[in-house]
């Protein structure tokens, strides 16, 4: 079975540009979450989507947005990139049950110069 | 107070040692608990879920104390391959809503 897939794996952008990251969840998983992980820190929650609806938003500025498509894949968009947006962006999917863990993709490593 | 706090580490131990990681969480309404392992420049991977009664998976034992809001992970007979960062994770809700909250992680280095 395919796991969570993310694209691209690496990306270099300059300040002020925007970026779109993509994610496909594990088949059958309706929940997709996005996390940002900067070096030396644990992943920080950005968004969660379930059945195409936003179910949670972390403490990130409005430059960050996301959406989920009917096939449960998802995009994360970041506008007006700042140097501080350089990080590993992780997508994860999860089953509905209370005790279900997150399953992460390999991540997209974004470098903003 | 941070939502999930872990031992700062790093832990440097010899092969065969027993090592314990501790974690505390601030929200008493937390419902689910996990330990994830993250290798350098890789994505986090689920190591084990943590249940109220405690649970064991081979050399790994996880414990949960809801009254103290405390989670632990014990690794026995450490292997070189156990070297990684261990992330303590809690969740308030089920899969249809909410999010998982990660600690900063504790780095383990197992030496020959």
């Amino acid at each position: 079975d395919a796991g969570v897939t993310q694209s691209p794996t690496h990306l270099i952008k300059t300040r002020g540009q925007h970026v779109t990251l993509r994610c496909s969840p594990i088949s059958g998983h309706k929940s997709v979450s996005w996390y940002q992980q900067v070096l030396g820190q644990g992943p920080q929650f950005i968004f969660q989507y379930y059945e195409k609806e936003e179910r949670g938003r972390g403490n990130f500025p409005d430059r960050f947005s996301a959406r989920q498509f009917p096939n449960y894949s998802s995009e994360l968009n970041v506008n007006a990139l700042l140097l501080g947006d350089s990080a590993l962006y992780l997508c994860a999917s999860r089953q509905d049950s209370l005790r279900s863990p997150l399953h992460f993709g390999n991540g997209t490593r974004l470098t903003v110069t | 107070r941070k939502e999930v706090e872990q031992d700062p580490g790093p832990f440097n131990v010899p092969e065969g040692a027993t090592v314990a990681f501790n974690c505390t969480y601030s929200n008493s309404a937390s419902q689910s608990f996990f330990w994830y392992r993250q290798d350098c420049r890789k994505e986090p991977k689920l190591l084990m879920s943590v249940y109220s009664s405690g649970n064991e998976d081979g050399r790994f034992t996880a414990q949960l104390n809801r009254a103290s809001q405390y989670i632990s992970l014990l690794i026995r007979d450490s292997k070189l391959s156990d070297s990684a960062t261990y992330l303590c994770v809690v969740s308030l809700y089920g899969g249809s809503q909410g999010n998982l909250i990660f600690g900063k992680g504790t780095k383990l280095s197992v030496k020959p």
Side-chain angles (χ1 to χ4, degrees):
Chain A
D1 285 343
V4 177
T5 57
Q6 290 187 244
S7 63
T9 53
H10 294 83
L11 205 50
I12 300 174
K13 292 283 190 178
T14 56
R15 280 176 294 178
Q17 287 188 312
H18 86 275
V19 67
T20 297
L21 310 181
R22 296 179 175 83
C23 171
S24 293
I26 291 172
S27 178
H29 288 190
K30 300 177 182 178
S31 171
V32 171
S33 299
W34 287 95
Y35 286 78
Q36 180 197 65
Q37 187 175 26
V38 299
L39 200 62
Q41 301 290 321
Q44 296 293 310
F45 173 70
I46 310 176
F47 286 109
Q48 189 212 2
Y49 277 78
Y50 180 79
E51 289 278 18
K52 296 172 289 180
E53 289 187 3
E54 183 183 302
R55 292 295 186 98
R57 171 186 281 257
N59 188 24
F60 280 80
D62 291 344
R63 299 184 296 107
F64 288 76
S65 64
R67 55 180 175 167
Q68 187 178 32
F69 299 100
N71 65 354
Y72 303 114
S73 67
S74 178
E75 282 182 355
L76 175 70
N77 295 284
V78 187
N79 294 324
L81 285 166
L82 303 173
L83 295 179
D85 295 332
S86 296
L88 180 66
Y89 288 85
L90 295 159
C91 175
S93 71
R94 191 181 184 192
Q95 291 180 321
D96 290 359
S97 64
L98 175 63
R99 298 192 183 282
S100 58
L102 285 174
H103 299 272
F104 285 93
N106 293 334
T108 294
R109 190 162 298 279
L110 173 65
T111 302
V112 182
T113 62
Chain B
R1 182 183 172 188
K2 291 191 187 297
E3 292 181 276
V4 178
E5 293 199 68
Q6 295 186 240
D7 284 348
F11 284 58
N12 298 305
V13 303
E15 269 187 295
T18 295
V19 60
F21 302 141
N22 303 316
C23 169
T24 57
Y25 59 96
S26 61
N27 194 325
S28 59
S30 298
Q31 297 284 343
S32 305
F33 310 89
F34 310 95
W35 283 101
Y36 276 73
R37 169 196 169 124
Q38 187 170 27
D39 293 297
C40 188
R41 301 184 74 80
K42 298 284 190 181
E43 76 278 14
K45 292 187 177 178
L46 178 68
L47 179 65
M48 57 197 303
S49 300
V50 187
Y51 303 117
S52 297
S53 55
N55 48 299
E56 188 174 306
D57 183 2
R59 298 181 292 109
F60 299 85
T61 301
Q63 298 279 351
L64 168 65
N65 184 322
R66 285 186 183 270
S68 302
Q69 295 177 207
Y70 171 92
I71 307 162
S72 67
L73 176 69
L74 185 75
I75 305 176
R76 291 182 298 278
D77 189 22
S78 300
K79 311 292 185 191
L80 296 176
S81 58
D82 293 334
S83 297
T85 296
Y86 291 82
L87 297 160
C88 176
V89 186
V90 305
S91 174
L92 288 174
Y93 306 108
S96 64
Q97 64 180 67
N99 58 285
L100 269 62
I101 303 166
F102 286 76
K104 287 179 64 173
T106 302
K107 187 173 181 180
L108 172 66
S109 181
V110 181
K111 305 291 186 185

